[in-house]
């Protein structure tokens, strides 16, 4: 079962996750570290836990989730993985940074595209790719069945959902993604979101004002 280190970075308060196995191999998901001090915090956290980064993943490519991609590549040489439909969002991220007064250098290494249903392996541990567009066109989530959790990005939050007013966003598509890709998981599955506190599928089914079922 994979364990999780979590960080909250940047003025946007984005959650960055490091998942690691018993051998200390880890993947870094959505490194949102913006300031030098935040990059140090991530690196120190990884080193103090004795981890070796082996993979770099993005749930989607809004600026707050990609700030640190270049740092990860420069530090550990990891290639970036995301869904092909997210490429226009990735390309736009630096302009978006300028608009938000958060300029940054975009990742410029090789890109590996992930597809829905793909299984990623960290050693022997598996992450299933779930395609969940609506907040952004190529948004994916990473489901770890053995650990009963999903790294959900900006799809489903504690008592909220991702915004749908950004380019490529669509409310009905997002609700459909939540219903088919998230609410089909066991109720005790923990959801580690891109913003805010951890929640569970069962709690959101009961209480989420946008998508509750009961
Ligand atoms: Zn987003
Ligand atoms: Zn976000």
């Amino acid at each position: 079962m994979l364990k999780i280190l979590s960080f909250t970075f940047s003025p946007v308060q984005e959650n960055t996750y490091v998942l690691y196995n018993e051998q200390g191999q880890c993947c870094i998901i959505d490194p949102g570290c913006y300031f030098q001090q935040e990059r140090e915090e991530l690196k120190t956290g990884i080193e103090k836990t004795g981890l070796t980064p082996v993979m770099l993943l993005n749930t989607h490519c809004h600026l707050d989730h990609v700030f640190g991609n270049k740092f990860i590549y420069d530090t550990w040489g990891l290639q970036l993985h995301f869904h092909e439909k997210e490429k226009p969002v990735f390309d736009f991220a630096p302009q978006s940074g300028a608009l938000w007064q958060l300029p940054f250098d975009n990742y410029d290494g090789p890109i590996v595209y992930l597809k829905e249903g793909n299984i990623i392996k960290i050693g022997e541990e598996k992450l299933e790719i779930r395609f969940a567009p609506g907040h952004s066109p190529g948004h994916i989530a990473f489901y770890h069945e053995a650990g009963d959790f999903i790294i959900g990005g900006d799809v489903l939050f504690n008592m909220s959902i991702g915004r749908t007013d950004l380019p490529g966003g669509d409310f009905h598509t997002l609700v459909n993604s939540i219903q088919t890709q998230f609410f089909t998981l066991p109720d005790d599955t923990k959801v580690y979101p891109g913003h805010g506190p951890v929640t569970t599928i069962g709690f959101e089914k009961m209480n989420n004002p946008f998508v509750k079922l009961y």
Side-chain angles (χ1 to χ4, degrees):
M1 181 181 128
L2 292 166
K3 292 183 181 166
I4 303 178
L5 294 180
S6 58
F7 303 83
T8 303
F9 290 138
S10 92
V12 190
Q13 295 287 286
E14 183 267 356
N15 294 330
T16 293
Y17 296 107
V18 175
L19 312 186
Y20 61 99
N21 66 14
E22 275 181 20
Q23 290 72 39
Q25 295 169 307
C26 69
C27 66
I28 301 167
I29 304 179
D30 291 355
C33 41
Y34 183 76
F35 300 108
Q36 179 59 29
Q37 187 188 337
E38 293 176 337
R39 292 191 281 265
E40 291 296 330
E41 184 186 339
L42 179 60
K43 187 163 181 279
T44 305
I46 287 170
E47 287 173 352
K48 264 196 342 206
T49 316
L51 305 182
T52 306
V54 296
M55 196 173 290
L56 171 59
L57 305 168
N58 284 168
T59 59
H60 67 300
C61 296
H62 285 149
L63 78 165
D64 48 324
H65 298 253
V66 306
F67 284 141
N69 280 341
K70 182 171 162 47
F71 170 70
I72 303 302
Y73 182 60
D74 291 345
T75 305
W76 291 289
L78 301 182
Q79 299 182 4
L80 177 60
H81 295 62
F82 59 78
H83 193 283
E84 189 165 12
K85 288 192 173 159
E86 205 58 16
K87 182 67 163 53
V89 181
F90 171 83
D91 289 336
F92 184 70
Q95 278 167 270
S96 180
L99 287 170
W100 286 79
Q101 318 238 318
L102 292 167
F104 71 103
D105 291 330
N106 209 7
Y107 172 90
D108 56 2
I111 294 169
V112 182
Y113 291 125
L114 296 171
K115 285 196 170 66
E116 44 272 45
N118 280 173
I119 304 289
I120 294 170
K121 290 182 94 181
I122 310 298
E124 293 301 306
E125 303 288 350
K126 295 174 188 163
L127 288 175
E128 179 195 329
I129 309 299
R130 298 208 149 208
F131 185 55
H135 170 70
S136 69
H139 196 300
I140 52 178
F142 303 101
Y143 177 48
H144 183 49
E145 187 178 7
D148 290 320
F149 69 77
I150 187 165
I151 305 296
D154 291 359
V155 174
L156 180 65
F157 299 131
N158 185 321
M159 301 286 280
S160 188
I161 60 174
R163 57 191 287 185
T164 52
D165 58 331
L166 297 168
D170 180 75
F171 177 78
H172 293 288
T173 305
L174 181 62
V175 169
N176 183 61
S177 290
I178 292 168
Q179 287 168 344
T180 61
Q181 302 302 311
F182 282 60
F183 282 1
T184 49
L185 299 170
D187 279 355
D188 59 357
T189 305
K190 290 190 199 67
V191 181
Y192 288 86
H195 304 273
V198 178
T199 186
T200 66
I201 294 296
F203 180 84
E204 297 308 319
K205 277 184 182 172
M206 292 290 285
N207 298 293
N208 191 301
F210 298 92
V211 286
K212 68 181 176 185
L213 296 183
Y214 309 113

